[in-house]
Amino acid sequence: WGPRAATCGIVGNAYLRCITGLTVRGVRAETLAIAPQARLHVLAEVENVDPVVHQEGDVEAALFLEGREVARARVEGALICSGINYFDLELTVPEPQLWWPNGYGEQNLYEVKVTLFSDGVALDEWTRRIGLRTMTMHIEKDEWGECFAHQVNGVDVFAMGADYIPEDNLLGRVNPETARKLLEKAKFANYNAIRVWGGGYYPSDWFYDICDELGLMVWQD
């Protein structure tokens, strides 16, 4: 079921990324509200690799649905100090197309794009697909003790799913194709949730992207 095979050496791809000035290191996008319009908070992590010189730049976030721009926000003339800098942007989306778990609605996905400019020239760009949705746990006292339910967009969801362990003991043979086949079978079986088993490993970003596409909530151990 899950034999222990001790790993050693480099896991995954090794690569070099050359940075000469400013770069977008990462972005966190969080849905703050969904009605009457959606509000998306974007936290951009921008790095200035120059150990001495502070620079000025513009940080812009844009949201697209099926190639059509639906929202945009921009921080202009920001002072980007040496090291890591954080910038907050908030996007407002009228009539949002929400993301729902499998069996509860559509899995609408937006493209969020964060671009870093200097003197009007785009220096770096970060792009991902996300779903606009609120997600929390509904926990309160009831006649049996205490309820415990996933709540998506204000709706309690009856979670149906199973544990995920790596498809292969040799992790180099785990890839987007093998994971997609497995997760598509989970959707076919009417699952709406996947628990990433704590005795395995942290999957790559593409694993969570596939779950987004298929409407699978992820319980991450």
Side-chain angles (χ1 to χ4, degrees):
W1 174 77
R4 180 178 182 273
T7 56
C8 64
I10 296 174
V11 177
N13 297 324
Y15 62 93
L16 292 174
R17 183 183 181 195
C18 298
I19 301 171
T20 57
L22 305 177
T23 183
V24 181
R25 283 195 44 160
V27 174
R28 178 188 175 107
E30 179 183 7
T31 306
L32 301 178
I34 56 172
Q37 53 192 10
R39 290 170 46 228
L40 181 69
H41 172 242
V42 175
L43 178 64
E45 181 180 337
V46 177
E47 183 177 11
N48 179 358
V49 299
D50 193 305
V52 178
V53 179
H54 300 335
Q55 301 188 49
E56 277 196 2
D58 302 335
V59 182
E60 183 178 86
L63 196 65
F64 301 85
L65 179 63
E66 297 178 349
R68 176 176 57 89
E69 182 180 314
V70 297
R72 182 179 293 267
R74 189 178 179 108
V75 176
E76 295 186 347
L79 180 64
I80 304 176
C81 302
S82 179
I84 305 298
N85 303 257
Y86 296 94
F87 298 97
D88 292 283
L89 303 101
E90 187 168 309
L91 304 175
T92 301
V93 185
E95 301 180 356
Q97 304 296 307
L98 301 181
W99 181 94
W100 292 93
N102 181 35
Y104 284 79
E106 298 295 322
Q107 289 77 55
N108 298 295
L109 294 173
Y110 288 76
E111 180 183 70
V112 59
K113 181 184 296 183
V114 174
T115 309
L116 178 62
F117 294 91
S118 180
D119 295 327
V121 178
L123 300 180
D124 199 10
E125 185 178 274
W126 181 99
T127 303
R128 295 289 189 281
R129 289 200 301 165
I130 65 168
L132 295 181
R133 84 292 180 273
T134 58
M135 183 174 291
T136 187
M137 298 303 299
H138 180 200
I139 303 172
E140 65 179 1
K141 298 294 183 182
D142 59 23
E143 58 186 300
W144 298 282
E146 191 174 69
C147 69
F148 187 82
H150 298 280
Q151 191 176 85
V152 181
N153 302 329
V155 176
D156 284 357
V157 173
F158 187 84
M160 299 176 288
D163 284 351
Y164 168 79
I165 67 171
E167 301 95 279
D168 199 302
N169 278 8
L170 301 178
L171 298 183
R173 298 197 298 207
V174 177
N175 56 57
E177 289 72 29
T178 61
R180 180 177 290 276
K181 288 180 181 178
L182 182 64
L183 294 171
E184 285 177 345
K185 292 177 181 177
K187 179 176 182 176
F188 181 76
N190 292 320
Y191 291 1
N192 59 26
I194 291 291
R195 174 196 170 208
V196 177
W197 173 59
Y201 74 117
Y202 290 103
S204 300
D205 287 348
W206 46 256
F207 175 87
Y208 303 95
D209 291 339
I210 296 171
C211 289
D212 286 346
E213 294 173 18
L214 299 178
L216 299 172
M217 300 180 292
V218 179
W219 185 283
Q220 176 69 57
D221 280 3

